[in-house]
Amino acid sequence: MALTGVLRPGHIQIRVLDLDEGVHHYRDVLGLEETGRDASGRVYLRGWDERDHHSIILRQADRAGMDFFGFKVDSEATLAKLERDVQAWGLKTERIPAGDLLETGERVRFEIPSGHQIELYATKTFAGCDRGEKDPSHYSPKMDKGIAPMRFDHALLYGPNVDKVLDLFTNVLGFHLAEYVTLPDTDIKGALWLCCSNKAHDIAFVIHPEPGKLHHVSFYMESVERVFRAADIMAANDIKVDIGPTRHGITRGGTIYAWDPSGNRFETYSGGNSSYPDLPPIAWTWEGLGEGGGLDVAHRKLHETFLTVVT
């Protein structure tokens, strides 16, 4: 069956402490394409294999983190239906007019129980790519600019009430649970990997006492070899690395985690398994997350910074 309802992660707005430094990092080092700037000073970017106008929005602020995470849905009718469904579940929604974001239609925004702002939208300008849409060229120089991720892939968010988040995403928004981790000595799901597609995951959550926190923004690389290439570019640009290069047990993807100049963690990620809604979720224990290699297959341990540093 074709994808319907919520289609994919569409955009994320990231707060940076210095806009010029942020643009240099995401555009020149990471290698995203700048696609516009708006009257409020926000900067719009995207990966080399993305077709819509943008996926990353940078906003200068006095604290780092995430403002909102947007998912694209298949139609305006679906947008209206999901708005009603979210309201019926018990959340207040806000309609944000078309044009508030460049090249983007009307959006429906709501705060989920973890304290994060999530939004849905149906229309964004299709900008295409320089390789063309008919008999496309295999190569573009953009594929080798900086670290050069293909696309914005997912984000991991930290906050409370992940049980309610799970109910909202699976029973209202139509996601399925791909993998989860139970907390020590309990059967409570403390970490969730959720899908609206058949990717390894489209968004993830970890229980945390403070609401609305960003753990990382993930960028998808064409191959694991390109993840290793990213390590060389990070070293050449004095980017502080948190973990990696390594492989996760959870999702089985190859990865590096590092920090942007504002302290926001970002990931370069490739590979990973596929997830389908008819498959039971993969269960991990807390011990499996650490000693079992769920987080870090190579070192089989938990990393303190990975568990504690968020923005």
Side-chain angles (χ1 to χ4, degrees):
M1 185 177 74
L3 287 177
T4 59
V6 180
L7 298 177
R8 62 177 180 272
H11 56 242
I12 187 169
Q13 183 162 295
I14 303 168
R15 297 190 300 268
V16 294
L17 305 181
D18 183 293
L19 189 61
D20 290 338
E21 280 189 348
V23 170
H24 172 68
H25 172 81
Y26 286 95
R27 183 190 64 193
D28 303 327
V29 179
L30 195 57
L32 301 179
E33 175 189 4
E34 182 177 336
T35 59
R37 301 193 181 207
D38 65 21
S40 66
R42 294 180 295 188
V43 180
Y44 297 72
L45 307 108
R46 65 176 186 167
W48 62 259
D49 201 37
E50 293 183 287
R51 308 301 205 275
D52 286 348
H53 180 266
H54 63 270
S55 60
I56 302 297
I57 309 128
L58 303 180
R59 180 178 75 87
Q60 182 161 317
D62 58 5
R63 62 188 180 95
M66 180 194 85
D67 284 330
F68 53 80
F69 186 130
F71 288 94
K72 191 171 188 180
V73 304
D74 62 10
S75 68
E76 295 291 344
T78 294
L79 185 65
K81 178 185 182 301
L82 290 175
E83 179 180 29
R84 295 191 299 269
D85 292 345
V86 168
Q87 292 170 349
W89 193 80
L91 298 181
K92 180 181 178 181
T93 64
E94 175 189 5
R95 278 268 176 172
I96 302 172
D100 175 78
L101 288 180
L102 289 183
E103 307 294 333
T104 306
E106 199 169 21
R107 293 133 62 208
V108 172
R109 183 183 295 171
F110 44 94
E111 183 175 306
I112 63 175
S114 58
H116 298 94
Q117 299 292 321
I118 298 294
E119 58 183 41
L120 309 173
Y121 68 96
T123 59
K124 184 181 288 183
T125 297
F126 180 85
C129 67
D130 63 346
R131 287 171 291 114
E133 306 303 325
K134 182 178 181 181
D135 297 332
S137 169
H138 175 70
Y139 178 75
S140 162
K142 294 177 183 177
M143 297 165 67
D144 288 322
K145 180 185 175 184
I147 291 171
M150 296 175 68
R151 65 173 187 262
F152 161 51
D153 189 78
H154 66 269
L156 171 56
L157 308 180
Y158 270 41
N161 305 312
V162 296
D163 55 338
K164 295 179 181 178
V165 170
L166 176 60
D167 183 59
L168 172 65
F169 271 79
T170 56
N171 293 319
V172 179
L173 298 178
F175 285 62
H176 65 274
L177 180 63
E179 304 193 43
Y180 66 88
V181 178
T182 51
L183 297 178
D185 302 317
T186 76
D187 59 358
I188 296 172
K189 296 178 177 68
L192 315 171
W193 284 259
L194 294 157
C195 302
C196 59
S197 64
N198 74 327
K199 289 162 48 185
H201 55 314
D202 291 295
I203 192 168
F205 293 90
V206 168
I207 192 167
H208 186 71
E210 297 177 278
K213 294 299 183 179
L214 172 66
H215 185 274
H216 71 264
V217 177
S218 182
F219 297 93
Y220 195 80
M221 309 299 296
E222 192 171 23
S223 67
V224 173
E225 288 76 16
R226 300 286 282 190
V227 174
F228 281 101
R229 175 179 174 274
D232 292 334
I233 295 172
M234 290 179 195
N237 287 275
D238 295 322
I239 293 175
K240 185 179 180 182
V241 171
D242 185 15
I243 300 176
T246 188
R247 183 182 297 281
H248 293 309
I250 298 172
T251 75
R252 302 204 305 266
T255 183
I256 302 172
Y257 293 95
W259 281 285
D260 77 5
S262 298
N264 294 305
R265 188 188 281 101
F266 70 97
E267 178 187 25
T268 53
Y269 169 83
S270 190
N273 53 19
S274 297
S275 178
Y276 295 90
D278 64 316
L279 300 177
I282 297 170
W284 292 82
T285 62
W286 188 256
E287 293 75 19
L289 180 63
E291 295 174 5
L295 172 60
D296 186 338
V297 168
H299 298 96
R300 293 185 175 271
K301 67 176 184 178
L302 295 175
H303 299 257
E304 182 183 358
T305 51
F306 191 87
L307 299 178
T308 59
V309 178
V310 292
T311 54

